[in-house]
Every structure is written in structure tokens, then in C-alpha cells.
Amino acid sequence: MLPDDDVLLLTPGPTPIHPRAQAALGWPMRGHMDPEVFAYNDRIVADLRRLYGTGEGSFTSLLSGTGSLGMEAGLANLLEPGERVLVLSNGAFGERMVEMAARLGCDVHALRFEAGAPVDVDAAARAARSLRPALLAVVHGETSTGVLNPVPELGAVAREAGALFSVDAVTTVGMMPFAMDAWGIDYAYTGSQKCLSAPPGVAPVAFSARAMERVAQRRLPVATWYADALGMRRYWQPDEGGRQYHHTVPVQLHWALGEALAAALEEGLEARAERARRVGSAALAALQDLGFRAYVPAPHRLPTVLAVVPPSGLDEAAVRRSLRSEHGVTVAGGLGPTAGKVWRLGLMGENAREVHYRRFLDALGRVLGEAGLRERFDEVLEPALA
Ligand SMILES: *Cc1c(COP(=O)(O)O)cnc(C)c1O
């Protein structure tokens, strides 16, 4: 049974697959130790350095798994059982970190902030100073609420406390400039299906030189063999022993991710950020006319996930079901602290396109019996284009 080929994903991940990535899924099969695969992987390593803003000495690669494996791999590599981690949490993905670190047997401290509000830098600095964690961890763009956290300032907090700094860049890297080295980040990760618009299944990750030294000095081996950075590095970076087999990498997903990544760098990260901002503000204006309001105040609003509160009296779940069944448009409801309270619209990679938002607004207008939404969208878009 073939799925309907005209369904629009406006969800905050997965996003519609980039045409170059879609084409690459049909490229021929190669073995994971094939020279063509190694050459292709080398280009991915170099492109990921540009994407993350990190230089020589860092280790960039793909994990075979989704963004959550990226999250788990960072905690598992950079912490040993009993070691202290301070998680700055303001949503469902911050809580996922807390749970993962606890399962790894770490000494977990969570500093929590109100849903919809950003992490407070001064409170984080006070906690880091008194707790002296081995690792400070935060989500850059909290997908569950649509909040952008102040990562550059938190990098300074980590340095001052002598902690390694881990950043969940799942909804940010690839859709805005990212400066891992300049911001003092030791580990960052994303998932292929978010800002890069590749199929899900690989997690692009970046370890700083300092992070790799830390992994090399561990007393105990990394609890997860599969995502051990030293094992991974023996496959991705040849040493005296050449390239070593670690696990059978999903070659088709490497092709697809590599093409989506090249397309993102060709477009430029500034240009992509501007595209998300422009489409997002026009969509918000059109929705505001219908009585929706932004969940997060402007300065802390994540450009890649627009969380909007539906007007009271609207059966938001029923409207989303109609959008999907009658118009083939998928939008996400809330998650964690926002469950049942908001809609979350993706503005990552291929979903930050005017054509998609026009289709969504037309469909929503039909479901609600309201005209003029798309016109309002275009009206706000036009001056931005001029
Ligand atoms: C989607 C997401 C993840 C988890 O990624 P999966 O690919 O679903 O495993 C982690 N963090 C953030 C901020 C996300 O948006």
C-alpha cells in the first residue's frame, strides 16, 4: 500500500525531505568499508565542521540513530557513573536529558524554568558555581515550547564553572549560524530530519578537542558500546591502523544527509535563518487575525518552531484532524508542558517555505470557514520581500 504522496509535513520534525536528499535515497548500495563511502563520509565530516562552526581537532560524524541517540551519546561519553551533571531544563527535551543522565547513574541536578520562558543565565551561573558539575547541558531551541535559550551566554557560565558544555542543537543548527568553538561548546548534536530536511535515522554530532580528551581519559569504558566516540572515531578518522569497522552504517542515509547538508551550506545559514523568520512572521500575522496568539514573547521566540495558542472555544485537536484528513496538512499539537495548549508549526529546512504556508492557511480557512488568511500572509510577506 503506497502512502499518499501529497501530504504536507508542517510538523517541527520530521520535515519534508529536500529533493536532493530524496534523489540520493535511490543511489546504489555500497558497503560501509567501500572507498566511495569513505570519500563521501570525509566530505560530511568537513561540511559538519562548517555547519557547527568548529575547527581542526574536533570530531564530527554521524551516529546511526535519531536525535535522541545524539543526546544519549553525549551524556554517555562525557560522564561516568556518579559524576555530576547540571541540566538547565525548560521543556520536554530538557526533561529527556534528566532521565537519560539518571539512567546512566550520574549525579543529576536539574535547574528548571517555567515552560515558555528561557533559561535564566544568572540563576544558571549561581547553580553552576555552587554545584561545580562536570557537565552543563541545555537545549538550544526547546521544541516543546518554542523557546530559544541563551546558549552563547551559557557557554561563558560553563567555562567559569570549569564544566564541559553540551548543547542540543536539534532545532537550531542548519537553520541559523552556529558557532560551536566561539560559544565554548564541547558537544552538540542534531537529527537528520529536523533543520536539514533529510530522512530520519542519522544524528550529526560534533565533539570539541577538549571533549575527545575527556573521553580518552575515562576510567570506565562508555556504557553504550554503539555510540562510543573512540570506537566511532576509528571508523570515521583513519589512524595508523587505517579505517576500522565499527558497525554497518546506513549508507543510503549518509548519501541523503550529505546531499541535504551540502544544499544547506550552499544556500547559506544566514539566508536560511532569514527564510524561517520571514515565513514565520507572516504566518503568525495571519493566525493572529484568527485569534491565535504567540505562546512565547518575541525576544525568546525560536525562529524554527512557532508555538501558537488557539483561540478559546476552538477544538484544536478536531481542527488538526480535519486539516490532515480533508487537506493532507499535518501540524503538531503541544508536547509535555504544552500538551493540549498549543499548535507547533515547523519552520525548519523545507517546511519554512511560502508555498507550504499558503497551502496550510488555505486549508485552515476552509476548515474554519474564514476567508483571507492567505491574502494576509502575502500582505505581510510582500514588504519583507521588497
Ligand atoms: C526532535 C528532538 C529531539 C529528539 O530527536 P528524535 O530524532 O526524535 O530522536 C531532541 N531534542 C530536540 C530539541 C528535538 O526537537
Side-chain angles (χ1 to χ4, degrees), residues 193-271:
Q193 81 280 20
K194 302 271 177 115
C195 293
L196 292 171
S197 286
V202 283
V205 299
F207 290 82
S208 72
R210 219 164 71 117
M212 290 307 288
E213 275 161 36
R214 173 71 191 84
V215 181
Q217 289 160 2
R218 290 175 64 99
R219 285 175 302 114
L220 295 171
V222 178
T224 149
W225 177 91
Y226 201 68
D228 179 336
L230 298 178
M232 294 276 299
R233 192 168 63 177
R234 285 190 283 273
Y235 173 75
W236 285 85
Q237 288 182 359
D239 56 17
E240 317 79 65
R243 311 246 191 191
Q244 290 176 40
Y245 162 64
H246 183 255
H247 65 272
T248 307
V249 299
V251 169
Q252 270 70 23
L253 297 182
H254 284 210
W255 302 145
L257 181 282
E259 292 309 292
L261 176 57
L265 293 173
E266 282 165 26
E267 182 181 0
L269 300 174
E270 289 282 1

Side-chain angles (χ1 to χ4, degrees), residues 3 51 164 209 220 270 288 321:
L51 186 84
L164 291 177
L220 295 171
E270 289 282 1
Q288 276 169 337
R321 276 194 301 275

Side-chain angles (χ1 to χ4, degrees), residues 332-359:
L335 177 70
T338 61
K341 295 183 188 158
V342 303
W343 282 3
R344 294 174 308 133
L345 300 167
L347 292 156
M348 292 184 244
E350 290 308 296
N351 56 29
R353 298 274 178 205
E354 290 154 27
V355 55
H356 295 331
Y357 272 82
R358 289 198 185 99
R359 175 172 164 188

Side-chain angles (χ1 to χ4, degrees), residues 278 282 354 358 375-386:
R278 190 161 44 78
E354 290 154 27
R358 289 198 185 99
E375 287 69 19
R376 177 74 178 128
F377 176 80
D378 283 332
E379 198 180 285
V380 178
L381 213 52
E382 286 314 324
L385 285 175

Side-chain angles (χ1 to χ4, degrees), residues 12-13 65-71 93-94 96-97 139-144 168-171 189-194 200-202 305 344 348:
T66 66
S68 300
L69 182 63
M71 184 186 285
F93 291 101
R96 185 172 292 186
M97 285 183 184
V139 178
H140 195 188
E142 196 21 281
T143 323
S144 63
D168 177 317
V170 174
T171 60
Y189 55 92
T190 184
S192 46
Q193 81 280 20
K194 302 271 177 115
V202 283
V305 180
R344 294 174 308 133
M348 292 184 244

Side-chain angles (χ1 to χ4, degrees), residues 75-165:
L75 297 167
N77 277 278
L78 301 179
L79 291 166
E80 301 200 36
E83 277 189 331
R84 184 166 293 174
V85 55
L86 173 58
V87 180
L88 307 170
S89 170
N90 54 350
F93 291 101
E95 290 308 301
R96 185 172 292 186
M97 285 183 184
V98 171
E99 181 176 349
M100 283 180 177
R103 289 192 191 197
L104 289 164
C106 302
D107 175 22
V108 190
H109 293 254
L111 184 61
R112 296 191 167 91
F113 301 88
E114 205 187 313
V119 164
D120 180 77
V121 177
D122 292 333
R126 279 193 302 276
R129 236 175 266 133
S130 74
L131 290 166
R132 293 270 149 197
L135 181 72
L136 182 71
V138 73
V139 178
H140 195 188
E142 196 21 281
T143 323
S144 63
T145 59
V147 167
L148 182 67
N149 281 319
V151 158
E153 291 82 353
L154 294 171
V157 167
R159 274 301 133 108
E160 194 211 337
L164 291 177
F165 186 35

